[in-house]
Amino acid sequence: MSPDPRSTLQDLRNRIRQIENGGGLSLRVLPFGQPEIDDQLPGGGLPLGAVHEVTDGGEGLPHIAAATLFVAGIVARTAGTVLWCLRTPDLYAPALAQVGLEPDRVVYAEAPDDRMLPLLVEEGLRHRGLSAVVGELSRLPMVASRRLQIAAEQSGVTAVLLRRWPQSAMAAVEFSQPTASTTRWRVSALPSTPLPAPGIGRPRWRVGLVRCRGGRAGEWEMEGCDATGRLGFPAQMAHRPATRQGQGGTGPSFAELRVGT
């Protein structure tokens, strides 16, 4: 019986990853629990002890909320304290708790300016007692991204960078610049999945894996994170390929993530 080509290819990717890490221990990953996504990632999940970037995929607060909750859902599934480095105190803790990131797990660090933010993230990554560091960054030069990646690899702490810009016109330019991050994601809000109760819908997002070192890009239409931080596929869309149609809709109510509160 011939070996499964997908399994062979994944083994090769894992060996290459180990060589890149100096031949160290096996890659630690955080699975999404959805084979459609995990099969695209090296090792079958989001690599831990690495840097990942997430941005919103459209203009408006619903898209920012979707990207932020996507980040919160990822770090909620890690075990331990999360350091969240931000520029302005505009997060709504109950919304983060709805996707599994309880307030008693989060330490907030507010930077006085954009120049200090990467330094806060790097300092946090050097503390092995943390499970993850979130950094709300606009600019991310290659040199800074390499420093963060090295710090994450040395400590084993995972960094998730939420890329936010003062003007939306900066997003396309800045997010296309090369960095040392392991993965890049783009998350957009879509029309909510209707529920039996009138006026209530389940959040639905377009999740795009734009870049993945040692893996493959992909795009999916998914239901937003549940109370444990996990994504799901809408029942009517399971086993159907993602499309690039219908990007003009709005997503979940921004009551999920009130800014400026």
Side-chain angles (χ1 to χ4, degrees):
M1 181 177 180
S2 59
D4 183 357
R6 294 176 59 185
S7 176
T8 303
L9 182 58
Q10 189 61 65
D11 289 343
L12 179 59
R13 287 174 177 154
N14 292 341
R15 292 178 61 185
I16 292 173
R17 179 67 176 174
Q18 288 186 12
I19 293 172
E20 291 179 341
N21 288 340
L25 298 175
S26 298
L27 180 66
R28 296 184 304 121
V29 299
L30 181 70
F32 282 90
Q34 300 291 345
E36 293 87 342
I37 299 179
D38 291 336
D39 288 349
Q40 307 285 94
L41 297 165
L46 196 71
L48 298 175
V51 177
H52 308 278
E53 295 179 63
V54 178
T55 192
D56 57 275
E59 296 186 21
L61 298 180
H63 301 290
I64 298 174
T68 304
L69 293 174
F70 176 78
V71 170
I74 289 175
V75 299
R77 292 185 291 110
T78 64
T81 302
V82 174
L83 175 66
W84 197 301
C85 304
L86 67 170
R87 182 70 177 85
T88 55
D90 60 358
L91 285 174
Y92 186 53
L96 304 185
Q98 288 180 1
V99 296
L101 187 58
E102 298 296 336
D104 58 357
R105 290 188 54 201
V106 186
V107 176
Y108 297 101
E110 184 178 349
D113 52 50
D114 291 333
R115 183 184 63 84
M116 186 63 67
L117 261 172
L119 300 179
L120 285 177
V121 175
E122 183 177 349
E123 183 65 23
L125 288 174
R126 299 189 186 283
H127 289 270
R128 298 177 184 272
L130 297 173
S131 64
V133 177
V134 177
E136 298 184 6
L137 304 181
S138 53
R139 297 189 65 254
L140 184 63
M142 175 61 81
V143 172
S145 68
R146 283 175 176 164
R147 290 178 62 92
L148 297 181
Q149 180 67 26
I150 291 172
E153 291 176 354
Q154 290 177 342
S155 66
V157 179
T158 304
V160 186
L161 306 181
L162 181 58
R163 305 294 305 278
R164 297 177 62 177
W165 294 272
Q167 295 87 27
S168 58
M170 299 172 58
V173 176
E174 289 288 342
F175 204 61
S176 64
Q177 299 301 311
T179 67
S181 300
T182 301
T183 67
R184 273 182 167 177
W185 302 80
R186 183 178 285 113
V187 182
S188 307
L190 293 173
S192 300
T193 303
L195 293 176
I200 299 178
R202 194 182 305 279
R204 191 156 59 91
W205 303 338
R206 185 183 303 279
V207 177
L209 178 56
V210 179
R211 176 184 178 276
C212 180
R213 189 195 309 168
R216 294 170 294 169
E219 188 176 79
W220 308 269
E221 291 185 10
M222 310 195 71
E223 290 184 345
C225 297
D226 62 13
T228 65
R230 296 187 179 278
L231 296 167
F233 282 94
Q236 70 271 24
M237 295 192 63
H239 311 301
R240 287 177 53 188
T243 69
R244 296 183 179 272
Q245 305 298 320
Q247 296 193 34
T250 59
S253 167
F254 204 65
E256 294 179 332
L257 186 73
R258 288 189 286 180
V259 172
T261 301

